[in-house]
Amino acid sequence: MAKLDSKARLRWACRRGMLELDVLFMPFVEEAYDSLNDDDKATFQRLLAADDPDLFAWFMGHEQCEDAELARMVKIILDRVRV
């Protein structure tokens, strides 16, 4: 995935076809993305390149993401929602 260098492009990439993903990604981008370090920002952008069915399975706990960095980012997002 090409680097998402503007916040507007990042917001657009966060708009998914599933409400369950939108309610996770949109607040995360607005409230937490800017505080991530550059590596985590890149990981988040890579996460956005995943297919919606995979994202849904990871975030709903139906499957474990095999990519350790992506799995860590899923956990960061979920932990933030659970606070």
Side-chain angles (χ1 to χ4, degrees):
M1 175 177 199
K3 186 173 187 265
L4 299 171
D5 52 4
S6 79
K7 195 77 173 237
R9 286 178 183 240
L10 189 61
R11 283 186 198 104
W12 182 257
C14 286
R15 295 188 62 201
R16 312 306 288 205
M18 300 176 133
L19 177 62
E20 295 88 347
L21 297 176
D22 287 348
V23 299
L24 291 169
F25 289 147
M26 295 304 287
F28 185 80
V29 164
E30 294 301 327
E31 300 164 10
Y33 178 80
D34 290 335
S35 66
L36 296 176
N37 65 40
D38 288 343
D39 289 339
D40 285 345
K41 286 179 180 178
T43 300
F44 180 74
Q45 291 178 21
R46 210 162 52 84
L47 182 69
L48 293 178
D51 293 330
D52 284 358
D54 290 332
L55 291 168
F56 182 81
W58 299 337
F59 280 100
M60 297 303 126
H62 300 161
E63 293 178 19
Q64 178 69 32
C65 178
E66 293 183 15
D67 181 305
E69 289 179 350
L70 294 183
R72 186 175 144 278
M73 184 56 59
V74 168
K75 183 177 180 335
I76 288 170
I77 295 168
L78 287 174
D79 285 350
R80 188 181 173 284
V81 171
R82 291 181 183 136
V83 172

